[in-house]
Every structure is written in C-alpha cells, then in structure tokens.
C-alpha cells in the first residue's frame, strides 16, 4: 500500500527513479487483480463445483434407496466385517444378521452393522441400498455439497490471490536486482577515481 500511495506523491518528484514508479505500478496492478480476478476465480470455481456436486446429489438420491431391515439375530462382535467400506464411528454398533426387500423386489439376508443398542429378532432399522439391494453409503446431503462448493470457491480465490502476490514479489525482486547491478557497474566505473578529484594525481 505504501508503494501505491507513494505512486501519486512521487510522480513529479525529481528524486523519483523510474524503478520506484515501476514498483508502484506493479503493486497497483497486483492489488486490482487481487480485488477483481481472485473473487471472480472463486465464484467461477465455486459455481462449477456447486453444479457438479448438486448433480451428484441428485444422482445419488435417484440411485440409492432407504429400506427397512429386520433383525434375524444378533451376531458375535468378533465376526468378520462383510462391508469393507464401513466407517468406524464412536457410537456403539451391533452386528446383526438382517433381512430386507430391495427396491427391485429381491429378498436379502446379510450381516450388517446397526446402531440398535440391544438388537432382538424382529427389531427394525433403516439402511441405504442400491436398486439391487446391495448396501451402500447414504447419499450426499445438499447442504454438505454446498459447503464443499463454497470451500472450493474460497480456496480457489485464495490460491489466485497468492499467485498474483507471488508474481508481484518476483517482479519487484527482479527490478531491485537490476537496480543493484546498475549501481554496481556505475560504482565500478567511478570507484578508481573517487575522492581524488583536484589532488593533482
């Protein structure tokens, strides 16, 4: 911000070097890009993510069905898991042999995990299956999908701002290096005679 404020104040100052003005213009351009391009990137990425995720939510709600299963009997807790994708949660879960009717009308009996505390034969609980009755994870919630889309948009905006700021810093660093190189060359030319003017040597 100091470079941008100084840009106006220094524009007619005889002590202002062209590189000072260049640094100020680079800073101003970077600020304008961060204020315009970064939010635009976030909106575009977030919108695209929202469309894709909401489409996925609709597809999942069409292909996954909530059915009612009945407990046939409780199984030993040490029984091997049939579902490889079961997520471990802190709540107590019981393994039971259950039966249910799939949306296509087929009957299923399978070992499943349930949150029933003391399952007894005939107890009912709900689970998600596909059209053929295979157990699947529940569909993505629309609100969760929106949260993911917003997170993607914010992340894209921050990444765009970081890239712009990185380009600005690299540009300023290169300008400073060139300035120092010029000073070094000028000093090398003036150095041997410096301080000896008028000494008669």
């Amino acid at each position: 911000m100091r470079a941008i404020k100084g840009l106006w104040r220094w524009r007619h100052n005889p002590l202002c070097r062209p590189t000072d003005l260049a640094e100020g213009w680079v800073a101003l351009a970077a600020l304008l890009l961060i204020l315009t391009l970064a939010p635009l990137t976030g909106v575009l990425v977030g919108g695209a993510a929202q469309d894709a995720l909401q489409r996925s939510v609709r597809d999942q709600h069409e292909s996954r069905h909530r059915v009612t299963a009945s407990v046939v009997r409780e199984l030993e807790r040490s029984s091997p898991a049939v579902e490889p994708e079961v997520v471990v949660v802190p709540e107590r879960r019981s393994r039971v042999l259950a039966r249910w009717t799939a949306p296509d009308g087929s009957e299923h009996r399978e070992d499943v995990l349930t949150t029933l505390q003391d399952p007894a034969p005939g107890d009912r609980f709900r689970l998600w299956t596909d059209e053929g009755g295979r157990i699947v994870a529940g569909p993505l919630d629309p609100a969760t999908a929106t949260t993911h889309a917003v997170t993607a948009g914010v992340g894209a905006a921050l990444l765009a701002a970081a890239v712009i700021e990185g380009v600005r810093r690299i540009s300023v660093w290169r300008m400073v290096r060139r300035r120092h190189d010029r000073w070094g060359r000028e000093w090398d030319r003036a150095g041997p005679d410096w301080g000896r003017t008028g000494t008669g040597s």
Side-chain angles (χ1 to χ4, degrees), residues 4 13 23 25 28 49 65 70 79 126 142-143 151 159-160 179:
I4 294 170
N13 192 316
E23 286 180 30
W25 283 116
L28 179 60
H65 307 276
S70 342
S79 297
R126 307 275 282 168
T151 302
L159 180 60
R179 183 192 312 157

Side-chain angles (χ1 to χ4, degrees), residues 149-193:
V150 169
T151 302
V154 170
L158 292 175
L159 180 60
V163 168
I164 293 168
E165 175 61 12
V167 170
R168 183 197 72 80
R169 286 176 181 266
I170 291 171
S171 300
V172 170
W173 175 76
R174 293 185 67 181
M175 282 189 282
V176 170
R177 286 289 302 271
R178 282 199 298 268
R179 183 192 312 157
H180 288 172
D181 289 344
R182 277 199 307 272
W183 285 350
R185 287 193 300 270
E186 292 295 327
W187 185 255
D188 288 341
R189 281 199 296 267
D193 296 327

Side-chain angles (χ1 to χ4, degrees), residues 17-163:
R17 300 164 298 191
T19 54
D20 295 326
L21 283 176
E23 286 180 30
W25 283 116
V26 167
L28 179 60
L31 177 63
L32 292 176
L33 286 174
I34 286 173
L35 292 177
T36 55
L37 187 62
L40 179 62
T41 301
V43 168
L44 292 176
V45 170
Q50 173 76 340
D51 291 344
L53 287 170
Q54 292 301 335
R55 191 164 45 251
S56 177
V57 167
R58 287 192 297 273
D59 292 345
Q60 288 182 13
H61 277 279
E62 289 174 4
S63 63
R64 301 179 187 190
H65 307 276
R66 199 152 171 83
V67 299
T68 302
S70 342
V71 175
V72 176
R73 69 175 190 278
E74 184 175 10
L75 300 174
E76 294 292 330
R77 294 191 187 280
S78 59
S79 297
V82 174
E83 300 173 54
E85 297 181 12
V86 171
V87 178
V88 178
V89 295
E91 61 183 325
R92 181 178 180 271
R93 296 172 73 93
S94 303
R95 181 165 292 284
V96 299
L97 176 64
R99 67 169 178 264
W100 63 90
T101 303
D104 64 359
S106 59
E107 295 290 330
H108 292 265
R109 289 168 66 99
E110 196 173 327
D111 296 2
V112 297
L113 287 173
T114 175
T115 55
L116 296 172
Q117 295 300 316
D118 293 306
D123 286 350
R124 294 177 174 271
F125 60 95
R126 307 275 282 168
L127 51 81
W128 288 96
T129 70
D130 62 10
E131 190 67 33
R134 290 182 296 275
I135 297 173
V136 294
L140 186 63
D141 182 72
T144 303
T146 299
T147 301
H148 291 328
V150 169
T151 302
V154 170
L158 292 175
L159 180 60
V163 168

